[in-house]
Amino acid sequence: TTVPHSSPTVHSPHHHSLTVSQPLQYSHSLFLGFVYWTNYTHLSLLVCVSSKMRSFIPHILPLGFLFLVVTAGFLHRGVFAACPAKATYPDLFLSSPSPASFLSAECPEFVGSSCCSSAYEQALKQKSDLLYTAFTGLVPQPEPSCVMALHTLRCMPCSPHQENAMQVETWGIDLSVCSTYCLDLYSQCASSVTTDGVTISTAFESAGAFCVHMLDESASRPHWRVFVPSEEAPSASTCLSAQAECTAQDYVGHYSECDPSTSTREYFYELRDSAQGTCHAGAPTPAPLHGLPCGVHCDAGLFLKPGMHACSPCEAGTFSVGGGVRVTQWEVASLPTSLHLSTRCERTDGTPLPVETCGWQSTAEYARSGPIADNQRSVLELHVSLVRAGAVLFHADVSSETNYDGLLVSVDGVVRRRIYTQSRDFAEYQLPLDVGSHTITFTYEKDDSGAAGADAAFISLLEVTGLSWADEQCTACAPGYHSEAGAAARSPRP
């Protein structure tokens, strides 16, 4: 961890002090003094104990300390933590995060929820905000690249999680800056000239030294003190980063396996795959939910809210399939990872062919088999694991040589359906599935001669049920479709 320069004696950031006075002896009573005083980080209490209670003091003291520590943490993190800078700058910050459409031009990442008032937004526009003013005490005229890099620093006080990186103390403000952002800031500001007439790169031999001292020359009060935690330090998880802050939408919930000894399970959260490495700090990981009953089944049109024991109906404009997934949008980014889709192509004797030339392809509306020659096959494979009996339902169309080239649908290596050219466009098919793991294969296969039509198979809808006991949320209808409340499917909008 980079050690900050000399400054007033203070407690480390994100830790709180507890002041306890010594017991005072009197002739007929004992006064056990705890001074009640709080400035967001200090707490005390005045307790008078009769001399007859002296024998109980060894038992009371530990409980008293526990009460004080818990209450201090509650006051500091619970009541004042939302926007702690409000206490020091009442005109610039709100008491708690609120929508702030006025930030759309300056700090759009915090429009939905912000600690900043419109006064701070005006300060940002005029470059008279807290951080820019403090920084220009060292660098009066930063280069344009430096100003751009400072954007994250200047907008940080607007974060609804302001207390993560910025800690208000009695003497000033502690600011925790991630080493990666510090390095980027140092790089972008390297050619900017300090008040001593030398460049940043000349004045500071390292990024850490620069960041620790970059707010030193500020004439504003209270003082700023910058920390650059090492990547292994616990505080590195909440320091100021150039990455966007994590939001509640960046987390996804999952049920654990059922504990057979208690017939209960847990619901826990983790960052979505799409958020891994792209967001930092911000909204904390939601607490897991314990002791939830196993096997609560919700039919299609219903869903099970995390932590609840009973099903709820889907709202109008949404639908559920009852513990499964439905694919109607076939762009790769839209495909659910729980289906484990893959494609390959080969000759009918099993010789592999380059998948990029003849594997299944996707568009927005459907998946289609790849272009193949005689005695070749294009394969779409689906791996699923069912916790209860379910089914695979799909809408398929085939345009090919009648009764010769066609689509073979197999479950665990056994052909369950053969589909050849049809004039009715997409038709619906359904195959039952037992509990357990299954491999479902869609194979468009050509015989040794002849071709007709598009010479391909198409799948526009794919639905698998039995993947879970209940849907955890309802799915919004795509544009052009609608559904009534409690719907199991969507319908084209009239």
Side-chain angles (χ1 to χ4, degrees), residues 348 372-377 405 444-448 450-451 455:
T348 51
I372 54 175
D374 295 335
N375 291 321
Q376 293 181 0
R377 59 173 69 107
D405 303 337
Y444 181 70
E445 185 173 291
K446 289 181 61 61
D447 65 3
D448 56 4
D455 206 14

Side-chain angles (χ1 to χ4, degrees), residues 266-269 285-290:
E266 296 183 352
Y267 192 83
F268 61 93
Y269 295 85
T285 305
L289 305 173
H290 305 284

Side-chain angles (χ1 to χ4, degrees), residues 214-253:
M214 66 181 175
L215 306 181
D216 277 2
E217 305 302 321
S218 171
S220 66
R221 296 294 184 271
H223 298 283
W224 293 88
R225 185 173 71 163
V226 179
F227 289 83
V228 183
S230 65
E231 294 183 2
E232 297 78 21
S235 57
S237 63
T238 58
C239 56
L240 175 63
S241 169
Q243 292 180 337
E245 288 191 348
C246 298
T247 66
Q249 289 69 41
D250 289 319
Y251 295 96
V252 61

